[in-house]
Amino acid sequence: MNEEISQPIASRESRKPGFGNTWGLAVVCVLSAFVVIAFGVGFLILPATHQQRDQMSMHDNIQHALGHHVHDGMSTKNPAATSIPTYVVWDEATIHEALSGDPQRGEFIAMNCTACHGETGVAKQKWIPTLAGVNRIVLYKQLADFRSETRLSAPMSAIAQALTPQQAADVASYFASLTGGVETQAIHAPASGRTLRGTDPTLRLIYAGDPKRGLAGCATCHGPGAYRMGVPGLSGQNADYIEQQLHNFAQGSRRNDMNMPMRTVAGMLNAAEMHGLAQDFSAGQSLVK
Amino acid sequence: MANPDIDDGLSDFIAEETITHTERRWFYVMASMLGIMLAIIILTGITGMLHPMSDVETVDAKSLHLKGEFVENNLGVTNNPDGSVTVRMIAQQYMFVPQCVKVPIGAPVHFRLTSADVTHGFFVGQTNTNAMVVPGFVTDVSAKFHQAEDLTMPCDEFCGFGHHGMAARVKVIPKEQFDAMSPSDRGVCGAQ
Amino acid sequence: MERNRLLPLVHMWAAFITFLPAVGLGVWQMLMRSSLPAPVDDPNVYYASVTAHGTIMAYVFPTLFAMGFGYAISNSARNGALAGKKIAWTGFFLLITGLIMAVIPIISGTSSVLYTFYPTLIGSPWYYLGVVMILLGSWFWIAVMVLNFRGWKRDNPGQTVPLSLFAITACALLWGWTTLGVTTEILFQILPVAFGWRHSIDAGLARTLFSLTLHAIVYFWLIPTYIAYYTLMPQAAGGRLYSDTMGRVAFILFLVFSMPVGLHHLFMDPEHGSGFKFVQSMLTFMVVLPTLLTVYTITASLEIAGRLRGGKGLLGWIKKLPWDEPMVLAVALSLLLLGPGGFGGIVNMSFAMNAMVHNTAWVTAHFHLIFGGAVVIVYFAIGYELWPRLTGRPLMSKKLACRQLWLWFWGILIVTVPWHIAGLMGQPRRYAIFDYSDPSVAKTAPLVNVSVVGGVILLISVILFFVVLIRTNLAQPAASMPPVRYSLAINPPRAAAPLLNGLGFWNAILFALLLISYGYPLGQFYFMHDTSSPGYSLTRELNK
């Protein structure tokens, strides 16, 4: 092989390794220039063209490009909250408290509840909710809302106000541990017919919802097959109670749903649908095909 | 690990300089093409004011219902002094609240959303208004609508089992009709 | 025949064995979304299926494939004396353990968070641990690649590292950097909440960490295909590689620019300012460059091969190429798919156009076209190239292999073209259910249904692929099987140009670029307060 031809593209200089290499230096220079241009355009030129920014200084434009909210005289003060749905906030402390109930202490407290809610937490009258099997975080929150009267019920408010938050957590964890009432909501075996291909309109509403209305299936929050923090399971709950609560949400007389999910959803349902949903959910096991 | 057993006699049958020359020429063509594309992006960013969201506004997702911009009585459509309109919504599993809003034709509409739980997203009809809604942060995007229509605003980021059922409606109505409405009417679209 | 065949063979078998059911799930998913009847039509199952499909296709299949390919290349380079075999096998078993650990929670329905697992959605901690184990197993592979890279240089002082070894080592190093984002997110943010030790998580930080992985991973998938372009195809076509130098430059550009561009996945996010969004957008242009350079070099290499076989005239060389060679066919089909796929990528990386298509079916179409199409079609061909060498048996048969590749090509087009259109029509992605009675949705129905046909074609293609491999495995051993031959360039490099022969310098550049492009976007979260929000599990109470 001719030695001349075997001379590689790189010159003798570029045989030095690493940064001493002229090619290496060239790469660093080109990249640095590229980075400088990128920052220049991204932080100096483009932000100056964002809406109403011609009066802003270079420093403000850089701040804006970094994401810092620069006062441009446009922001308005937020109004006070005039309708508070609940005073519960799911911060670490509250969640911890809601999860720290002692079911044995709770059983003792629950002796005061059985008159209405049943000996085993299963309420005989269909317009009173069954508490057995309802998630403890849900019960804790409802008691807190009764206590603060953001959920209106004279008897329940009196009861809730007589309990400390710890006692509320205790009795909540007791009822949550009982079986025979509301069924576990979370995971269920896969099944057919849970899309809009299903033929029963109420079951369709439960599992597939109605995308045209912007309604997700009830089961996607309430189960069966799903869990959402603060949302009660409904399988096996009393039918009249479910139907009454749907009406209350739709009318706005019950308004302790944080950020209005139930009021929004119930407002999209008609009375026949509410009735059908209540009946199907209360049937419990037969929902799980 | 050269392959000494391939003796196809093809080594250097084209001079290295020729190949280097053609490759370098292609490199310049491609770099120029990319440069032009980049210039177009920058120019349209400058002239058409096409730019991504920039203000990083944080908000406490846990206490939206108690204080701040997204309390219940502040959700929905509000008029601004400069003639624009602000739509405030909360995104949560599995609906936008309020689920239906009315906005006027022609006025700039600022959508301000935050999430109460997980990451959601939304786009409005077939406009370019398309953004993510991340808990802890406020999303602020603007749009202008030019004709009366009923637009769907679906959630476009997987947020859980009910993701496919999550959609809001944006009804664009003539300005006179909008001005005549009370604030609470702008946040509802009638019973089913 | 070479020693150490078992290591790459087992990895490749494992890769394709996970691939087949994942494709099957994909076809079922397409049926679910369509207006056609579907079995087990349960939206919860759909989302679990998408999680399984994504986890396997993103974290398991291409990783196992790259590992197998890497071991094959390194072993050839070391003339059968691959170092670090024990490390390699340890990595494999860790990965398989992780796979099992990840798949079981998905099947049980507790982890339908999708492979992007955007918190504050939370699944089962065992799913995330499984993913971490999969990545951990692959890190052992990186160690073996680096070990053998260094070993080769020690054994051959002053020589130029073969392009295939250079490229696969760059690929392994890129993978190491890539996994940093998702591993940090899982270990420090998600797992504490999934196990119930903490209750809140900063979703903005999590998405930013994940963006470090999300874009670079696609180049990790791409590089084995490009290695085949540069080092297997020219030899298979009977020619030479047009330019070895350009090959090295391309792989170096991928190593350096795949990472500091992830923020372009967060254009539409509220947790970053426009400044860094633009900086990373501009850096993204740099990562387009190696593909453009590759297209030229590889087309030129094809042309050389065609003309050497007697092709004349401007396009006459195309006919003369050996189209019955699976590797040649696959590369050509791949280049055809790379065109529209790359165009889609350029749309996605320009903010203004991205606004039209963000999170619509267009995005799904894009990555299925470019990954499922341009990249995986060459994975098949690499399999066809390696199997005879690894098993000592001839390929049974080349004709069937080529038919399989054609089926895959058409299947991908029939699947992805309708999806692109549906995305432009405003169809959102990741939907289990569409209400086709809604007139605005009904117009996408024929598109979705056509794509189902494409999906079935793809499934048939994969089954055919297995038929070829199994028949090859069962065939009579050949008297002698030459080892894998990696293509030579027209001008083989004679003296090592240090910058094109080593990776240390480029890793340093990458590190600097990462600091510059991600330092502030990640660091800003440290100073933000109140951005953490509770974790939301889809199926269980998150215990204390």
Side-chain angles (χ1 to χ4, degrees):
Chain A
M1 217 31 79
N2 193 325
E3 278 307 305
E4 303 301 304
I5 297 178
S6 67
Q7 191 69 227
I9 304 169
S11 70
R12 223 162 267 122
E13 295 300 303
S14 61
R15 290 214 206 103
K16 295 190 218 127
F19 288 88
N21 189 309
T22 46
W23 279 104
L25 228 45
V27 162
V28 173
C29 285
V30 166
L31 268 180
S32 305
F34 188 88
V35 166
V36 166
I37 294 173
F39 273 85
V41 173
F43 284 91
L44 296 175
I45 300 180
L46 282 177
T49 66
H50 291 186
Q51 224 152 6
Q52 269 129 9
R53 300 220 157 263
D54 352 279
Q55 314 95 313
M56 298 279 148
S57 69
M58 186 173 88
H59 171 263
D60 278 347
N61 281 327
I62 295 177
Q63 287 292 314
H64 173 73
L66 278 174
H68 300 162
H69 193 52
V70 176
H71 242 301
D72 51 5
M74 276 281 292
S75 46
T76 47
K77 285 191 69 157
N78 295 321
T82 54
S83 64
I84 304 244
T86 170
Y87 287 97
V88 172
V89 171
W90 295 124
D91 51 21
E92 294 266 348
T94 310
I95 296 179
H96 183 78
E97 184 169 72
L99 294 173
S100 315
D102 177 357
Q104 281 185 322
R105 279 205 305 260
E107 182 172 11
F108 185 68
I109 300 166
M111 298 198 302
N112 295 320
C113 316
T114 54
C116 295
H117 290 287
E119 282 297 319
T120 53
V122 178
K124 296 252 170 38
Q125 291 102 313
K126 296 295 169 209
W127 43 275
I128 296 181
T130 287
L131 299 182
V134 177
N135 180 271
R136 56 186 167 167
I137 294 181
V138 170
L139 293 175
Y140 172 88
K141 177 179 178 289
Q142 297 308 314
L143 282 170
D145 291 343
F146 283 126
R147 189 183 312 121
S148 64
E149 293 178 32
T150 46
R151 184 172 175 185
L152 297 169
S153 158
M156 279 311 303
S157 287
I159 290 170
Q161 280 154 7
L163 297 174
T164 64
Q166 181 60 56
Q167 287 173 320
D170 293 337
V171 72
S173 75
Y174 167 69
F175 278 116
S177 69
L178 297 177
T179 52
V182 170
E183 289 146 13
T184 329
Q185 58 199 100
I187 308 167
H188 283 275
S192 294
R194 292 195 180 173
T195 61
L196 293 171
R197 297 179 181 89
T199 45
D200 181 306
T202 310
L203 285 180
R204 263 209 314 267
L205 212 49
I206 291 177
Y207 288 114
D210 186 2
K212 263 206 299 256
R213 267 185 275 182
L215 256 181
C218 317
T220 59
C221 283
H222 288 283
Y227 168 87
R228 186 181 172 207
M229 182 171 69
V231 172
L234 293 176
S235 296
Q237 183 54 273
N238 288 332
D240 294 349
Y241 174 74
I242 297 177
E243 195 169 350
Q244 185 61 55
Q245 297 312 306
L246 281 172
H247 279 288
N248 292 349
F249 277 124
Q251 287 152 16
S253 53
R254 178 172 170 187
R255 43 206 327 281
N256 71 325
D257 51 334
M258 197 193 289
N259 300 312
M260 307 177 69
M262 279 314 298
R263 278 171 279 169
T264 307
V265 159
M268 292 194 251
L269 298 170
N270 63 40
E273 286 169 333
M274 292 186 192
H275 183 76
L277 288 171
Q279 295 299 315
D280 272 16
F281 266 118
S282 68
Q285 272 301 314
S286 60
L287 257 190
V288 181
K289 301 255 175 352
Chain B
M1 179 208 77
N3 285 301
D5 48 330
I6 303 181
D7 186 7
D8 51 14
L10 290 173
S11 287
D12 300 307
F13 84 99
I14 302 178
E16 197 166 359
E17 292 75 38
T18 314
I19 293 184
T20 309
H21 171 72
T22 57
E23 291 276 10
R24 198 177 292 148
R25 189 177 55 192
W26 179 258
F27 177 89
Y28 289 144
V29 169
M30 289 295 107
S32 314
M33 186 182 87
L34 289 177
I36 292 172
M37 281 193 226
L38 186 58
I40 292 176
I41 288 182
I42 297 175
L43 278 168
T44 49
I46 293 175
T47 57
M49 294 212 294
L50 292 166
H51 52 85
M53 256 185 280
S54 199
D55 284 348
V56 178
E57 297 178 60
T58 61
V59 68
D60 180 19
K62 306 183 283 289
S63 58
L64 297 174
H65 56 290
L66 283 182
K67 56 181 174 10
E69 189 183 350
F70 293 94
V71 292
E72 280 179 22
N73 45 295
N74 205 31
L75 295 175
V77 187
T78 49
N79 274 317
N80 299 324
D82 66 350
S84 67
V85 141
T86 299
V87 174
R88 279 187 190 85
M89 288 181 174
I90 289 181
Q92 60 182 312
Q93 291 168 321
Y94 300 104
M95 74 283 302
F96 293 96
V97 177
Q99 196 265 347
C100 184
V101 291
K102 298 187 181 116
V103 296
I105 297 177
V109 178
H110 302 288
F111 287 90
R112 289 180 62 80
L113 278 84
T114 189
S115 168
D117 43 31
V118 302
T119 301
H120 300 271
F122 71 97
F123 61 82
V124 184
Q126 284 189 264
T127 67
N128 294 349
T129 308
N130 190 340
M132 306 301 297
V133 186
V134 180
F137 299 89
V138 178
T139 297
D140 188 326
V141 286
S142 302
K144 233 188 218 176
F145 303 99
H146 300 291
Q147 61 192 52
E149 53 187 339
D150 211 336
L151 296 167
T152 319
M153 183 174 125
C155 175
D156 67 357
E157 181 56 78
F158 177 72
C159 51
F161 293 132
H163 167 58
H164 48 266
M166 180 170 169
R169 290 216 320 270
V170 177
K171 285 192 134 120
V172 186
I173 56 180
K175 192 162 187 320
E176 315 76 54
Q177 230 184 309
F178 178 83
D179 291 337
M181 283 185 146
S182 68
S184 52
D185 278 340
R186 292 183 212 135
V188 290
C189 294
Q192 287 306 305
Chain C
M1 202 165 38
E2 284 174 344
R3 291 179 7 231
N4 301 323
R5 301 163 292 121
L6 204 59
L7 196 58
L9 191 61
V10 165
H11 279 79
M12 291 268 193
W13 264 126
F16 288 114
I17 288 173
T18 61
F19 184 65
L20 176 59
V23 171
L25 284 177
V27 178
W28 175 79
Q29 283 157 221
M30 297 206 314
L31 206 53
M32 261 293 274
R33 298 172 65 233
S34 70
S35 62
L36 305 165
V40 197
D41 59 329
D42 181 339
N44 290 15
V45 178
Y46 178 84
Y47 292 120
S49 177
V50 177
T51 306
H53 177 85
T55 304
I56 292 176
M57 294 304 204
Y59 300 128
V60 179
F61 162 64
T63 310
L64 278 169
F65 181 84
M67 289 165 78
F69 194 28
Y71 290 135
I73 292 175
S74 294
N75 193 41
S76 308
R78 308 299 305 278
N79 290 317
L82 182 76
K85 287 202 298 277
K86 283 212 187 75
I87 303 175
W89 282 114
T90 310
F92 177 74
F93 283 113
L94 275 173
L95 194 155
I96 297 299
T97 310
L99 170 63
I100 296 170
M101 226 160 64
V103 162
I104 292 177
I106 300 176
I107 293 177
S108 70
T110 57
S111 300
S112 302
V113 291
L114 272 48
Y115 83 98
T116 44
F117 37 76
Y118 291 134
T120 53
L121 274 176
I122 300 286
S124 159
W126 305 106
Y127 167 67
Y128 302 110
L129 266 179
V131 173
V132 169
M133 284 271 274
I134 290 169
L135 300 177
L136 181 63
S138 70
W139 290 344
F140 282 69
W141 166 70
I142 300 174
V144 174
M145 292 292 105
V146 171
L147 214 62
N148 283 283
F149 185 75
R150 290 225 175 106
W152 190 95
K153 285 179 111 173
R154 243 191 350 258
D155 299 341
N156 301 276
Q159 299 281 328
T160 315
V161 177
L163 182 56
S164 52
L165 183 65
F166 184 78
I168 198 72
T169 313
C171 182
L173 287 169
L174 176 62
W175 180 237
W177 290 103
T178 303
T179 52
L180 284 180
V182 67
T183 313
T184 310
E185 183 197 359
I186 293 180
L187 288 179
F188 296 103
Q189 288 198 284
I190 297 180
L191 277 176
V193 178
F195 275 122
W197 304 327
R198 278 218 302 265
H199 289 109
S200 49
I201 190 167
D202 185 332
L205 173 60
R207 286 177 66 82
T208 310
L209 282 172
F210 192 72
S211 77
L212 269 170
T213 297
L214 191 55
H215 199 81
I217 198 172
V218 317
Y219 294 108
F220 167 68
W221 300 336
L222 188 75
I223 289 179
T225 294
Y226 279 28
I227 293 177
Y229 279 8
Y230 281 98
T231 68
L232 291 178
M233 181 281 290
Q235 152 72 3
R240 288 277 190 114
L241 173 62
Y242 190 65
S243 166
D244 173 274
T245 307
M246 256 345 194
R248 286 165 205 274
V249 168
F251 291 114
I252 286 168
L253 284 172
F254 277 127
L255 175 61
V256 171
F257 289 105
S258 299
M259 291 288 299
V261 301
L263 231 57
H264 70 237
H265 288 263
L266 302 180
F267 274 159
M268 305 311 186
D269 274 52
E271 70 267 12
H272 292 291
S274 61
F276 277 100
K277 286 179 182 173
F278 178 78
V279 167
Q280 294 208 11
S281 171
M282 201 159 137
L283 282 167
T284 309
F285 275 92
M286 291 298 285
V287 86
V288 178
L289 200 51
T291 294
L292 296 172
L293 298 176
T294 298
V295 167
Y296 181 78
T297 308
I298 298 308
T299 312
S301 308
L302 280 167
E303 188 185 343
I304 297 287
R307 291 199 188 285
L308 284 172
R309 299 172 90 94
K312 305 235 179 300
L314 190 61
L315 296 172
W317 55 270
I318 298 177
K319 274 210 312 282
K320 291 290 186 179
L321 285 168
W323 293 110
D324 57 345
E325 277 295 326
M327 180 56 72
V328 177
L329 179 64
V331 169
L333 294 177
S334 170
L335 286 172
L336 281 178
L337 294 172
L338 199 59
F343 166 74
I346 293 184
V347 165
N348 296 346
M349 70 183 244
S350 336
F351 163 73
M353 287 194 278
N354 183 48
M356 289 192 312
V357 299
H358 177 67
N359 269 354
T360 63
W362 167 283
V363 177
T364 320
H366 164 74
F367 65 76
H368 279 83
L369 175 58
I370 198 147
F371 178 35
V375 168
V376 167
I377 204 171
V378 176
Y379 281 17
F380 293 134
I382 294 173
Y384 291 140
E385 197 68 33
L386 290 180
W387 239 261
R389 271 56 174 248
L390 295 175
T391 58
R393 294 160 159 85
L395 193 69
M396 300 293 283
S397 66
K398 269 192 192 165
K399 214 164 168 196
L400 203 54
C402 287
R403 286 220 187 99
Q404 181 266 325
L405 292 169
W406 274 110
L407 269 181
W408 189 260
F409 172 76
W410 287 114
I412 285 287
L413 283 177
I414 298 173
V415 166
T416 58
V417 169
W419 281 355
H420 277 101
I421 303 173
L424 289 174
M425 284 182 178
Q427 182 184 76
R429 63 183 287 218
R430 296 172 156 176
Y431 268 41
I433 296 178
F434 286 104
D435 187 351
Y436 290 109
S437 70
D438 183 341
S440 61
V441 178
K443 60 188 178 179
T444 60
L447 295 166
V448 177
N449 293 349
V450 164
S451 71
V452 175
V453 174
V456 174
I457 295 176
L458 291 178
L459 188 59
I460 295 173
S461 175
V462 180
I463 293 172
L464 260 182
F465 176 72
F466 269 86
V467 167
V468 174
L469 289 192
I470 293 173
R471 281 174 64 186
T472 302
N473 249 82
L474 294 175
Q476 289 291 355
S480 72
M481 187 65 71
V484 183
R485 291 215 186 98
Y486 298 94
S487 315
L488 276 184
I490 293 174
N491 312 109
R494 282 171 185 94
L499 281 186
L500 300 179
N501 211 35
L503 295 164
F505 174 77
W506 301 111
N507 276 294
I509 299 273
L510 167 59
F511 182 65
L513 278 177
L514 271 178
L515 280 179
I516 293 170
S517 63
Y518 264 102
Y520 183 85
L522 282 173
Q524 63 169 356
F525 292 102
Y526 185 74
F527 298 98
M528 289 187 198
H529 305 288
D530 270 350
T531 48
S532 291
S533 44
Y536 282 84
S537 163
L538 291 176
T539 54
R540 65 193 169 94
E541 189 189 76
L542 288 168
N543 293 318
K544 60 172 181 286

